[in-house]
Each structure stands twice: as structure tokens, then as C-alpha cells.
Amino acid sequence: MAKKRRNASVAVGAAAVLTAIAAAPAGAANGGVTYSGLSVNGGKPIVIGIQETVSVPVTYRMTTSRTWDWPPLFFLYRGKLANRDYDMLYSSFGSSDRTCPVEGTGRCEVEDGVLDIDPRYAIEGNGDAGTWKSAAQLSLPGGDSVFTDLNRSVQVQRATRVTVNAAPEPVVKGKTITVTGKVSRANWEKHTYQGYGGRTVSLQFKADGASSYTTVKKVTSGSTGALRTTVKATTSGTWRWKYYGNSTSGAKASTGDHVIVWSGVRIMHAAR
């Protein structure tokens, strides 16, 4: 038996598997059951906060000559699938009767499935962040099951938040702009966001009229996640911080803070 079985309630057309599988290898099979075309969240990591339910799109195809009692259950595991010595993250997967009947044979195909992930119930602790392996279970008549390793590693990540403030606003051209902010990360055990220290975060700028941001410099966050640096005012535009994430933490950019840069002459005229 699995060491952990969490959030196992069934909702037709929904699931709560924390996975980011780009595609199951064609012909991934076990016991006469073949999986292909599996896509969850477009292959991107699943980034989870502290209380918001994350809804993730999923598609897959399962083909078998055997009769099943229930559609496949996709799950993540750490450990050994062969002898059922593993930790498990999953909930049941349902779909419409038209594409994947509760009882049937042949092909089970889902194009509009959804994974609904509620971190308050599906996550046990911060240790759940990181790399997991993926598998599927097909329930057969008589209580038997076929477990298939889908041979894909999956990243489950804790959400991050980044704030920004650029001052003064407006500023005289050539003067100093101080850009501050903070990077924090979801703590799944305390259900709050806490400062994320020692992170390399990029300060980016987008000049008025430009279509994209450019990295100006990189700054390391302090022990409380605080960010602070200075730049010279050259032209009006928007400043932001961007954290690119890691294997356990999601990438995130702050909102932008716009700063108007004036020449000294223009400020004198405005004062009159």
C-alpha cells in the first residue's frame, strides 16, 4: 500500500494531481494498458500558493483490451512503484461518460480534463516541493489494478511573491532612483508567505514606448527577502524585480512601478 493517500475524493471532470507532465511517451504500457498524448499544464511546473485552488488543464489517451471498472488515476510518487513502497500525491480523476466511461474497454480519451489543486488539503508540507515521478493506476474488475510508470519527472513548486517601489517620483534626470522590494515564498506548513533570503533577483526596466523589459542589474535578497539598489535616472519608464525561480520555487515578476524623469529646466518651468 502507499505510504500516503491524500485528497482522494472524486469529482467528475476534475482531479488534484500535482503534475506538469509534458507528454507520456508513446506506447508507455504495462499489463496490456497503453498511455500516450498526456499533457498537463502544457508541460510547465505546477506552482502552488497557500490557499488558492489551482486549476490545471489536462489531456491524455489510454488504450487497452482489458475491461476497467474506473478510468485511470494519475498520481505522483516518490519511492518504488514496483513493490508499492512509495509516497503518493494524488486525487481521483474523472471525465465525461462520452469520452471515458466509468466502465468500459478500448480507448479512454480526455481533452478537457481539469486538475483542481487545493494546497490546504492536497499538500502535507514544504517537503512536497521538488521532483516527483509520475504513474497511472487503472482499476480492473475484482479489485485488481494495473500500475503504469509514465517515465516522466515532475516539478512541484512553492509560489513566490515579489514587490517593488521606485522613488522618488518624479525625479530629475541624472539623479538617483532607489528601487526597493521584497521576495517571499509560500510556506505550506504555516500557510503564509515568508521572506526568501539569499535569492538572486533581476532589476528590470522598460522605457516608455518600449515593448519589453531589459535587465539592468542583479541583486541578492537579504535575510528577510528585502531588495534594495540604486540606479541613475536617464529616461521615464517602468521598473520591476524578476525572480527566475528554482527547482522548488516558482518564477515571479513584480508589478511595474512607473517613474517620470524630468530635466531640471522643465521642473523650474513647472514650479512657476
Side-chain angles (χ1 to χ4, degrees):
M1 293 296 291
K3 293 179 181 178
K4 289 188 282 187
R5 287 178 176 262
R6 290 173 284 176
N7 197 25
S9 60
V10 178
V12 174
V17 186
L18 312 187
T19 177
I21 307 168
N30 183 43
V33 184
T34 302
Y35 293 89
S36 62
L38 177 62
S39 175
V40 182
N41 203 35
K44 300 176 182 178
I46 302 300
V47 181
I48 305 168
I50 59 174
Q51 63 181 8
E52 302 86 1
T53 297
V54 178
S55 296
V56 182
V58 58
T59 63
Y60 76 93
R61 180 180 299 111
M62 184 274 296
T63 304
T64 183
S65 60
R66 308 183 70 171
T67 300
W68 67 79
D69 272 351
W70 196 255
L73 167 67
F74 292 94
F75 63 92
L76 303 184
Y77 72 97
R78 285 171 171 171
K80 298 179 180 180
L81 187 65
N83 58 8
R84 311 290 167 81
D85 181 20
Y86 54 84
D87 290 344
M88 196 181 214
L89 277 174
Y90 84 106
S91 84
S92 297
F93 188 93
S95 61
S96 71
D97 290 343
R98 181 178 62 83
T99 57
C100 194
V102 172
E103 297 179 359
T105 57
R107 174 178 290 186
C108 170
E109 187 167 351
V110 174
E111 296 181 354
D112 56 356
V114 177
L115 307 181
D116 286 322
I117 305 163
D118 188 336
R120 296 168 296 178
Y121 305 104
I123 300 294
E124 283 195 343
N126 295 328
D128 281 349
T131 303
W132 291 75
K133 292 176 281 187
S134 59
Q137 174 189 358
L138 183 65
S139 297
L140 306 178
D144 293 333
S145 294
V146 177
F147 288 81
T148 304
D149 192 331
L150 298 177
N151 300 313
R152 285 289 186 270
S153 295
V154 178
Q155 292 304 123
V156 177
Q157 299 177 333
R158 296 157 64 180
T160 56
R161 288 179 173 177
V162 187
T163 61
V164 66
N165 182 59
E169 305 174 52
V171 63
V172 175
K173 185 174 182 178
K175 295 295 184 179
T176 297
I177 297 174
T178 300
V179 187
T180 58
K182 183 176 182 178
V183 57
S184 55
R185 180 170 64 159
N187 185 320
W188 290 336
E189 296 166 4
K190 296 184 177 180
H191 302 288
T192 188
Y193 283 85
Q194 296 181 326
Y196 199 13
R199 301 301 97 193
T200 299
V201 184
S202 296
L203 176 66
Q204 298 184 326
F205 179 71
K206 182 173 68 173
D208 286 355
S211 59
S212 61
Y213 282 88
T214 300
T215 296
V216 176
K217 63 171 66 176
K218 296 183 179 180
V219 175
T220 301
S221 62
S223 59
T224 63
L227 300 164
R228 182 182 179 88
T229 191
T230 58
V231 291
K232 182 177 291 188
T234 58
T235 187
S236 298
T238 304
W239 296 91
R240 75 174 186 183
W241 295 104
K242 184 169 184 178
Y243 174 58
Y244 285 91
N246 56 41
S247 62
T248 61
S249 307
K252 186 68 174 180
S254 70
T255 58
D257 191 6
H258 187 261
V259 176
I260 297 175
V261 176
W262 285 351
S263 68
V265 173
R266 184 174 179 181
I267 289 179
M268 289 178 61
H269 289 170
R272 295 176 183 175

